[in-house]
Amino acid sequence: MEYAFLLFAFVCGLTVKLIGIPPLVGYLVAGFLLNFAGYSLTEDLVQIANLGITIMLFTIGLKLNIRDLSRREVWAGSVTHTLLWIGLITCCVYLLSALAASFVDGLTWQSAALIAFALSFSSTVCVVKVLEESGESKTRHGRLAIGILVMQDVFAVIFLVVATGKLPSIWALALLALFPAMPIIKKMLNKSGHGELLPLTGFILALGGYHLFELVNIKGDLGALIFGIMLAQHEKASELAKSLLSFKDLLLIGFFLTIGLTALPDLSMIALAFIFCLFIPLKAALFFGLFTSLRLRGRTAYLSSLVLSNYSEFGLIVGALAVSLGLIANTWLVVIALAVSISFVVTSVLYRNSHSQYHRYKQSIKRFEKKERLKEDVYPTLNNAEFLVLGMGRVGRGAFNALSKLSDVNVWGMDADRLKVKEMSGEGFNVICGDGEDVDLWDNLDLKHVQLVLLALPSIQDSINITRQLKNAGYVGKVAAIARYEDEVSHLLENGVDKVFNFFTEAGLGFAEESLAYAQTQR
């Protein structure tokens, strides 16, 4: 890959980050600037982008509970939304093409329906990136959004099979041999250790799944996703996903650059792309209406709808196929590429303030809720909790275990990962499932006995948001949080946190104290 690609990506990513916008927006801008400067899409960059998407789908599978896809709000929501969207947008696009016939080639009803289908997908890359940056991939709305994305990926694979006539070969049945082979694969994963061999194992498995499915005429990305799902219950699944995180983020820069390098638009194409982006609120409204009609809470429906309100890289794939089959003109592919890029920017910017937006408009949003709750959306209860630990990762669980050893205090834990909560509850611990940034949750929890809330969270922005939610809910106790870097300590203190522990400094202090105590007992 040319050095200019990396340089433009770095400069644009850093620039937008300095003004408070996610770096991925900068990468999109870099792609268009490179295109304007005369650079073109290279085979190396395409391969890097494809590798990034493959690794991303594999890591999604590692975090996915297959039972989430069987939930009615996932399969019914995705199918109904796709059908309604295609019907509405086909009419709009056909009318738009008739009005703008002097600027772009006209469309048939069939072509308009293909464009509507291409715009029906939400971006897996953008949504997962936004959810991971905000630490919300395992929350109720995060899992719902990812479930919808997986269902849409299945729709895309079915379309590609039908449109190309490329049916899976008879050898596809041999993929069933993966089930008896899983014990061997899992044993290999166990033996990979915790060093550089672990991410290499992840690459081998992700690419192995990709190529196995390609060999039998099934889309390779689906193979990477399925390999991840099959390993999701493995004890090292979370560690494997974390080891691949930096590689995935770096490779996906190539994907964002490819969008801008796809084609250089003219003014009429830019105008059409912005018109297409005017349909995004309709996309959000359809998701919100469907989710609330399926008895989801207003907050879950709102946040899921907001993060899914974008267009997808799959739209480019569908558009490119339609161009190759002569169903639409190449100009429409450029328009779709521009609309996808703009929608990424919209989602990245708007979702940053999604929780404060909900807090501002929650009374209006909650009016659409159904009275009958889904079982998963019933609020938990705290029984006379005195200490509450948020985040049951390694740090949070360590703090929880240490406090639990004190016989005179009542300690409770909370995490957004339902499987982790179920596991700890089965071990006899007082743990509830909840999203700390959910203002409705705090309004419905009894906090009058809580003296201290410990925020063991990786994102300081999440800790700040939760501190504000606690104060808004009338909490009068103390709040403690962790930080990884020194500049984060002052930032947390300035935003209402009472005590901040530097993760690395306190780990060294704890290590010294434990070692000293041990040495004294051996005398």
Side-chain angles (χ1 to χ4, degrees):
M1 185 169 70
E2 295 195 38
Y3 176 71
F5 291 175
L6 291 174
L7 180 61
F8 270 69
F10 170 74
V11 171
C12 293
L14 180 61
T15 300
V16 299
K17 182 176 176 58
L18 290 175
I19 59 177
I21 298 175
L24 71 86
V25 176
Y27 306 147
L28 289 167
V29 173
F32 285 108
L33 290 177
L34 284 164
N35 197 333
F36 184 76
Y39 289 90
S40 58
L41 197 58
T42 66
E43 185 62 31
D44 288 342
L45 187 62
V46 171
Q47 289 183 1
I48 289 172
N50 290 338
L51 181 57
I53 293 173
T54 299
I55 298 300
M56 182 198 66
L57 288 170
F58 178 69
T59 57
I60 289 174
L62 289 173
K63 301 175 184 178
L64 186 67
N65 184 350
I66 194 65
R67 284 177 294 184
D68 288 342
L69 300 182
S70 65
R71 298 186 184 280
R72 189 179 63 160
E73 57 266 29
V74 174
W75 63 263
S78 57
V79 171
T80 308
H81 184 275
T82 299
L83 293 175
L84 289 175
W85 173 267
I86 292 175
L88 288 170
I89 301 304
T90 295
C91 297
C92 294
V93 171
Y94 186 75
L95 178 62
L96 182 63
S97 69
L99 295 175
S102 58
F103 299 102
V104 294
D105 294 334
L107 295 174
T108 64
W109 280 106
Q110 181 186 28
S111 301
L114 274 173
I115 293 175
F117 180 66
L119 297 176
S120 69
F121 302 103
S122 297
S123 171
T124 303
V125 176
C126 180
V127 172
V128 172
K129 186 76 174 170
V130 168
L131 288 174
E132 286 183 345
E133 286 180 350
S134 57
E136 297 176 13
S137 58
K138 291 188 176 180
T139 59
R140 175 73 162 117
H141 61 275
R143 290 186 294 112
L144 172 62
I146 290 174
I148 295 289
L149 291 171
V150 172
M151 290 296 297
Q152 290 182 344
D153 288 350
V154 173
F155 300 158
V157 171
I158 294 172
F159 169 79
L160 292 175
V161 169
V162 173
T164 61
K166 185 181 175 182
L167 297 174
S169 74
I170 189 64
W171 291 104
L173 295 174
L175 293 175
L176 295 175
L178 288 173
F179 290 100
M182 283 312 294
I184 299 174
I185 296 175
K186 290 179 178 179
K187 188 173 182 179
M188 178 182 71
L189 185 56
N190 282 328
K191 296 295 184 181
S192 63
H194 307 282
E196 69 279 1
L197 193 58
L198 183 60
L200 179 58
T201 304
F203 270 83
I204 293 299
L205 292 172
L207 293 174
Y210 180 97
H211 288 296
L212 273 178
F213 275 61
E214 283 285 331
L215 284 173
V216 294
N217 289 342
I218 301 177
K219 199 170 187 304
D221 290 337
L222 185 63
L225 176 67
I226 289 176
F227 260 56
I229 292 173
M230 294 177 74
L231 291 169
Q233 301 305 314
H234 192 277
E235 58 188 12
K236 293 188 72 171
S238 179
E239 183 183 356
L240 178 59
K242 289 178 182 177
S243 72
L244 293 170
L245 184 61
S246 296
F247 294 101
K248 180 199 70 178
D249 289 344
L250 188 60
L251 292 168
L252 283 176
I253 293 174
F255 166 76
F256 293 118
L257 291 177
T258 59
I259 292 180
L261 287 165
T262 300
L264 197 61
D266 56 29
L267 288 177
S268 62
M269 295 177 189
I270 294 173
L272 280 172
F274 273 102
I275 291 173
F276 276 2
C277 287
L278 295 177
F279 298 147
I280 290 178
L282 175 60
K283 192 170 198 176
L286 278 176
F287 272 125
F288 181 80
L290 287 169
F291 290 154
T292 52
S293 67
L294 292 168
R295 295 190 289 137
L296 286 164
R297 285 175 48 213
R299 178 179 181 273
T300 303
Y302 174 74
L303 294 178
S304 300
S305 303
L306 188 61
V307 79
L308 289 167
S309 298
N310 45 65
Y311 299 133
S312 171
E313 58 280 1
F314 269 123
L316 299 177
I317 297 172
V318 171
L321 178 60
V323 169
S324 67
L325 296 175
L327 298 175
I328 60 174
N330 188 57
T331 52
W332 287 102
L333 180 59
V334 180
V335 172
I336 293 173
L338 276 172
V340 169
S341 304
I342 298 168
S343 73
F344 282 10
V345 177
V346 172
T347 299
S348 301
V349 174
L350 288 183
Y351 196 77
R352 293 193 65 198
N353 301 313
S354 57
H355 297 284
S356 58
Q357 292 167 16
Y358 174 75
H359 183 69
R360 188 178 303 118
Y361 303 114
K362 70 173 184 177
Q363 295 305 325
S364 298
I365 293 171
K366 291 175 72 172
R367 286 168 45 200
F368 295 92
E369 290 183 345
K370 303 296 182 184
K371 291 183 179 180
E372 186 180 357
R373 291 266 190 260
L374 294 175
K375 183 180 179 180
E376 196 171 359
D377 291 332
V378 176
Y379 292 113
T381 57
L382 292 173
N383 295 325
N384 300 319
E386 297 173 275
F387 291 170
L388 178 60
V389 182
L390 267 70
M392 291 289 102
R394 285 177 293 182
V395 177
R397 189 155 184 170
F400 181 88
N401 290 335
L403 291 170
S404 297
K405 294 177 182 177
L406 304 176
S407 59
D408 57 341
V409 296
N410 187 13
V411 185
W412 283 70
M414 185 168 81
D415 197 279
D417 188 343
R418 192 166 294 274
L419 289 177
K420 189 180 295 182
V421 170
K422 184 178 180 180
E423 176 189 335
M424 292 189 68
S425 297
E427 295 173 5
F429 294 110
N430 294 325
V431 186
I432 61 172
C433 185
D435 179 0
E437 294 189 79
D438 184 353
V439 62
D440 296 330
L441 173 67
W442 296 120
D443 286 341
N444 285 273
L445 284 179
D446 183 6
L447 301 173
K448 63 176 179 289
H449 298 291
V450 179
Q451 303 169 22
L452 176 65
V453 174
L454 294 85
L455 305 178
L457 305 169
S459 167
I460 65 166
Q461 191 57 51
D462 288 348
S463 296
I464 291 171
N465 290 340
I466 291 171
T467 301
R468 291 172 181 165
Q469 304 288 20
L470 284 166
K471 303 297 183 185
N472 291 334
Y475 173 67
V476 294
K478 300 295 183 182
V479 178
I482 60 170
R484 291 175 294 174
Y485 308 104
E486 197 57 40
D487 61 324
E488 294 179 340
V489 175
S490 57
H491 191 49
L492 286 164
L493 292 172
E494 291 168 1
N495 284 275
V497 177
D498 299 295
K499 177 65 177 177
V500 182
F501 295 86
N502 186 305
F503 180 79
F504 298 110
T505 302
E506 299 299 329
L509 178 61
F511 176 57
E513 289 177 346
E514 290 284 342
S515 300
L516 180 60
Y518 175 76
Q520 291 173 343
T521 60
Q522 299 301 308
R523 290 178 181 174

